[in-house]
């Protein structure tokens, strides 16, 4: 089987769709509204779908890994956005591991984002 993959776009849900939309725009993603309860958020060639749907077990077990060029810089930029104060989310500082480094951010619904860089 041969693939000529162009993108992969996960679907994530939102407990409060309007708050999550605002959160992702604050993170620098550009939103395209596809439906009143469904949007695509993009940065460069990377994208994901956000839907106005919440199932606690699903959302709280959803993780997304976004590879970045500099985790320490990215963490500092996340910190400067004051997301913890504005949205009540949890931001975890950079960890350094055998495979690389990463920091973590829970979105307002509980989706866990890993922002990492491989060695």
């Amino acid at each position: 089987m041969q693939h000529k993959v162009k993108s992969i776009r996960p679907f994530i849900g939102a407990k409060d769709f309007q708050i999550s939309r605002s959160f992702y725009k604050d993170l620098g993603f550009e939103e395209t509204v596809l439906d009143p309860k469904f949007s695509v958020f993009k940065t460069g060639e990377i994208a994901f779908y956000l839907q106005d749907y919440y199932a606690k077990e699903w959302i709280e077990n959803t993780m997304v890994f976004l590879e970045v060029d500099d985790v320490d810089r990215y963490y500092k930029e996340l910190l400067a956005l004051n997301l913890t104060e504005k949205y009540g989310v949890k931001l975890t500082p950079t960890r350094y591991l055998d495979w690389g480094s990463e920091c973590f951010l829970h979105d307002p619904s509980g989706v866990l984002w890993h922002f990492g860089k491989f060695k």
Side-chain angles (χ1 to χ4, degrees), residues 1 6 29 31 51 86 89 91 93 95-96 104 108 110 114:
M1 192 159 122
K6 295 176 78 175
F29 288 96
E31 179 185 23
Q51 53 192 336
K86 187 171 182 181
V89 297
L91 176 61
R95 297 184 327 166
Y96 303 92
F104 305 96
H114 297 242

Side-chain angles (χ1 to χ4, degrees), residues 31-105:
E31 179 185 23
T32 300
V33 176
L34 303 173
D35 181 87
K37 295 185 173 199
F38 188 63
S39 292
V40 63
F41 285 82
K42 294 181 182 180
T43 182
E45 298 297 316
I46 305 300
F48 66 92
Y49 295 106
L50 181 70
Q51 53 192 336
D52 188 5
Y53 177 78
Y54 180 77
K56 183 177 173 57
E57 294 79 20
W58 170 51
I59 298 299
E60 291 184 356
N61 284 290
T62 298
M63 294 186 277
V64 180
F65 186 94
L66 181 66
E67 186 176 2
V68 297
D69 64 341
D70 184 332
V71 176
D72 290 322
R73 187 190 80 241
Y74 205 84
Y75 174 75
K76 289 175 188 170
E77 291 173 357
L78 289 170
L79 202 56
L81 293 173
N82 294 316
L83 299 169
T84 56
E85 293 81 14
K86 187 171 182 181
Y87 296 101
V89 297
K90 181 179 178 184
L91 176 61
T92 305
T94 305
R95 297 184 327 166
Y96 303 92
L97 306 159
D98 291 342
W99 59 265
S101 57
E102 65 182 343
C103 66
F104 305 96
L105 177 66

Side-chain angles (χ1 to χ4, degrees), residues 6-44:
K6 295 176 78 175
S7 73
I8 186 167
R9 295 183 180 185
F11 288 73
I12 62 174
K15 190 173 190 175
D16 183 313
F17 189 61
Q18 297 309 319
I19 289 174
S20 290
R21 289 176 65 210
S22 178
F23 174 81
Y24 286 112
K25 286 187 266 188
D26 283 354
L27 280 180
F29 288 96
E30 293 180 23
E31 179 185 23
T32 300
V33 176
L34 303 173
D35 181 87
K37 295 185 173 199
F38 188 63
S39 292
V40 63
F41 285 82
K42 294 181 182 180
T43 182

